[in-house]
Amino acid sequence: MIQQLNEQLVSMGQVLLALDTGVGLLVAVGFSMSMSHLFSLLANRLTPRQIFFHMVVDALVLSLALLLCLICHCLMLALMEGVPLHPIAFGNRMAVALWPGLFYVLVAAPYVSDLIAVTLLAWMHLNMLVLINAMYGIPFLHALFVCLPGYVIALLLVGALFSQRWRSSYDTLAKEVALQIQR
């Protein structure tokens, strides 16, 4: 059974290698993640210009968080496995592993948003492990240790941005609702 799972993961890695889409996917994932809190921006009755500004800034910051994750993977590969890499070529090749992040917009769903977010981030991490195995032949256990610091960094940065953004958006909304109730 473990051998069959290993073969399926290797097969998945070959498919990901064939999808080499580049860093453009990184920005698309950032926008998808940014879109997940569109409801809170609309609920605060921001103007379209303000919403657009928030979305662009959030998308760029989230893309930067994911880029830092890729750079961390690159450094860990160089340090732990001795793989000589060029960060730009590595990022361009590894960005395809982030494709599940295109569904991050679904995190806006009530009640199940945390589950969706963690599932999508874990799926992206699994794709990274599989892709590192496919590209460099590094065993999955070693790839786990190579990818773990970058995954934790991305998780903390994404969590910090969303926590701050969601909290401020909903605090503003709560203040407006309280004012409406007092009238």
Side-chain angles (χ1 to χ4, degrees):
M1 178 158 157
I2 293 176
Q3 181 65 20
Q4 184 181 14
L5 178 64
N6 191 27
E7 290 172 7
Q8 289 175 345
L9 289 174
V10 169
S11 172
M12 184 175 148
Q14 296 303 319
V15 169
L16 289 172
L17 281 172
L19 291 175
D20 184 22
T21 58
V23 180
L25 185 60
L26 186 79
V27 176
V29 169
F31 273 105
S32 176
M33 294 174 105
S34 178
M35 291 286 294
S36 66
H37 65 85
L38 179 64
F39 174 74
S40 68
L41 295 173
L42 289 170
N44 282 307
R45 291 184 228 125
L46 297 176
T47 65
R49 174 180 253 156
Q50 290 171 318
I51 291 172
F52 178 75
F53 178 74
H54 279 282
M55 300 286 285
V56 168
V57 169
D58 286 351
L60 293 176
V61 170
L62 290 163
S63 296
L64 180 64
L66 294 172
L67 183 62
L68 288 174
C69 173
L70 289 175
I71 290 172
C72 187
H73 291 339
C74 184
L75 291 173
M76 292 299 289
L77 269 171
L79 292 174
M80 290 181 69
E81 301 296 327
V83 177
L85 298 171
H86 296 132
I88 293 174
F90 178 77
N92 193 32
R93 195 76 172 145
M94 293 297 287
V96 70
L98 301 175
W99 73 265
L102 293 173
F103 300 108
Y104 208 88
V105 69
L106 300 175
V107 172
Y111 307 112
V112 292
S113 61
D114 291 339
L115 177 63
I116 293 171
V118 170
T119 301
L120 289 174
L121 289 171
W123 191 0
M124 288 189 283
H125 183 62
L126 176 63
N127 282 347
M128 289 283 186
L129 294 173
V130 168
L131 201 51
I132 284 178
N133 174 268
M135 287 174 65
Y136 304 108
I138 296 172
F140 289 111
L141 186 58
H142 288 243
L144 178 66
F145 289 113
V146 166
C147 293
L148 191 60
Y151 177 70
V152 170
I153 287 171
L155 195 61
L156 290 174
L157 290 173
V158 168
L161 180 71
F162 273 105
S163 171
Q164 183 271 336
R165 214 32 115 172
W166 282 81
R167 191 174 324 142
S168 66
S169 295
Y170 284 113
D171 285 346
T172 304
L173 183 61
K175 288 176 189 174
E176 286 185 16
V177 169
L179 286 175
Q180 292 296 329
I181 292 173
Q182 289 177 353
R183 291 182 185 173

